[in-house]
Amino acid sequence: MYLKEISELEYKNLDLPILFEDKQTDRVFGIISNDVHIFKFGWQSTIVKPVIKKVSQKNYAIGIDQKFILIDLNLVKVRLKLDLLYFFYDMIVYDDLIIVITELEILIVSLKSFNLLTTISLPEIYEKMEINGQNIRFICVDGNDIDFDINEIKD
């Protein structure tokens, strides 16, 4: 899977499936491909690049700005598409879960059902995460933290 940035004109002229776009705010455009299937999408940040991760044998996740998407490349199907309330920071695959990290919120997504299982509000801007077995601690820039037990999630 690779990402290639393209011009806005090329983006508009390509007849490809769109993963996400915002015609009002997008300033950067790209295509993503595994050499078999190809998609196009746009985003607004000129500094931050999309984070693309293989999360299972055939599924890839993409996060940028206030967008997160999970796609199945074998079926060429969008499994989950989320408009985030806060800016996307990163994602971590942990067991059968994707931990989607945003500026002020953590989202837990199932890789089994492709559903959003829970949302954890943070008291301040996210700084880092510590994993200790089934317990995850989300630490904020001001030192506040939230402990979360993975066992509490029902899928």
Side-chain angles (χ1 to χ4, degrees):
M1 178 65 88
Y2 63 89
L3 168 70
K4 176 184 173 193
E5 286 189 29
I6 58 175
S7 70
E8 184 175 5
L9 181 61
E10 187 177 358
Y11 179 85
K12 288 178 179 178
N13 290 331
L14 285 172
D15 185 24
L16 295 172
I18 299 170
L19 292 180
F20 47 79
E21 71 178 359
D22 185 331
K23 292 180 181 179
Q24 301 292 340
T25 61
D26 287 347
R27 293 184 294 207
V28 186
F29 304 89
I31 56 171
I32 187 167
S33 176
N34 65 350
D35 290 325
V36 177
H37 303 290
I38 187 169
F39 301 89
K40 67 180 184 176
F41 63 104
W43 64 95
Q44 71 183 40
S45 178
T46 57
I47 298 170
V48 179
K49 302 294 181 209
V51 174
I52 303 166
K53 288 194 179 177
K54 184 175 184 175
V55 295
S56 67
Q57 189 63 25
K58 57 186 176 180
N59 292 297
Y60 285 81
I62 304 167
I64 183 70
D65 296 332
Q66 290 178 276
K67 305 287 185 189
F68 176 81
I69 193 164
L70 187 58
I71 56 174
D72 181 322
L73 285 178
N74 286 355
L75 299 176
V76 192
K77 179 178 181 177
V78 173
R79 292 291 194 175
L80 178 68
K81 189 175 198 176
L82 299 173
D83 289 320
L84 306 172
L85 295 176
Y86 304 102
F87 284 102
F88 174 86
Y89 276 16
D90 201 1
M91 66 183 112
I92 308 291
V93 177
Y94 186 74
D95 292 334
D96 290 330
L97 303 171
I98 302 174
I99 301 168
V100 179
I101 303 163
T102 73
E103 186 177 33
L104 289 167
E105 204 170 51
I106 306 296
L107 296 90
I108 309 292
V109 174
S110 169
L111 279 172
K112 292 179 187 174
S113 65
F114 305 107
N115 289 322
L116 174 61
L117 300 177
T118 193
T119 302
I120 304 162
S121 295
L122 299 175
E124 184 54 70
I125 295 173
Y126 172 87
E127 181 176 36
K128 64 182 178 178
M129 172 175 59
E130 295 174 353
I131 299 175
N132 185 6
Q134 295 298 302
N135 187 59
I136 301 176
R137 175 172 285 161
F138 301 103
I139 302 166
C140 301
V141 295
D142 67 353
N144 277 319
D145 60 27
I146 301 280
D147 283 321
F148 184 76
D149 185 348
I150 293 291
N151 293 319
E152 294 177 15
I153 296 178
K154 304 289 186 235
D155 186 13

